[in-house]
Amino acid sequence: MARFPVLRAVERANQLVSRHLSRQLAGAGLTDIEAQVLFHLDHLPAGMRPAVRDLQSAFGLPPTTLSAVLDRLEGRRLIRRAPNPVDRRSTLVVPTALGRRRIADISALLAGVEQAVAARATAADLAAFARVLTALEAATE
């Protein structure tokens, strides 16, 4: 039996998904983390726009790494940074019209992966997987 089977399985799954996304997004000129940040921007509660610090928290990225990702997305005109009207000390991240089109492409790609997994796993498998992930989150908080 492998050492640390849960952690190894999660690590392997993350690597597989990352490589798959990287291959699929290469033509769009996006890395997997750039795609994930864009996707996150569009899948928040209605009207909510995250501050940079919210993205740091969501992704657990060091500030310099996240800043570089946002710089690249902004340079490609996929996002814009805007002053936060509620808190002038923070900056909001907003997808542009082009960014929203890329988000639609990313959503379609992710939906395809989700459908392929659902076709190969039962509802009970998926529920058990969700419970394991919940336990992992609780164990690492």
Side-chain angles (χ1 to χ4, degrees):
M1 175 179 256
R3 272 186 88 175
F4 311 113
V6 171
L7 297 178
R8 180 61 189 124
V10 169
E11 177 185 308
R12 175 91 172 118
N14 183 55
Q15 291 169 354
L16 290 170
V17 170
S18 180
R19 281 196 297 267
H20 177 75
L21 290 178
S22 292
R23 282 191 309 268
Q24 298 299 313
L25 296 167
L30 291 171
T31 66
D32 63 323
I33 190 62
E34 292 167 352
Q36 290 175 35
V37 168
L38 277 175
F39 182 78
H40 182 79
L41 293 177
D42 200 55
H43 292 82
L44 296 168
M48 182 182 169
R49 290 293 166 229
V52 172
R53 71 174 167 260
D54 299 324
L55 292 173
Q56 269 182 287
S57 176
F59 289 95
L61 293 172
T64 54
T65 302
L66 179 61
S67 182
V69 169
L70 296 176
D71 287 347
R72 289 191 305 268
L73 292 173
E74 192 169 36
R76 291 188 203 113
R77 297 189 172 108
L78 298 174
I79 64 159
R80 66 180 176 81
R81 293 175 181 148
N84 186 339
V86 177
D87 178 1
R88 290 191 286 190
R89 294 171 296 166
S90 69
T91 301
L92 300 179
V93 179
V94 181
T96 64
L98 178 59
R100 286 190 297 278
R101 288 194 296 275
R102 289 288 177 271
I103 290 166
D105 297 340
I106 295 163
S107 292
L109 173 62
L110 295 176
V113 172
E114 287 276 335
Q115 290 168 356
V117 170
R120 291 168 172 81
T122 66
D125 293 336
L126 296 175
F129 180 67
R131 288 192 302 275
V132 169
L133 290 180
T134 299
L136 180 60
E137 284 181 47
T140 58
E141 287 184 335

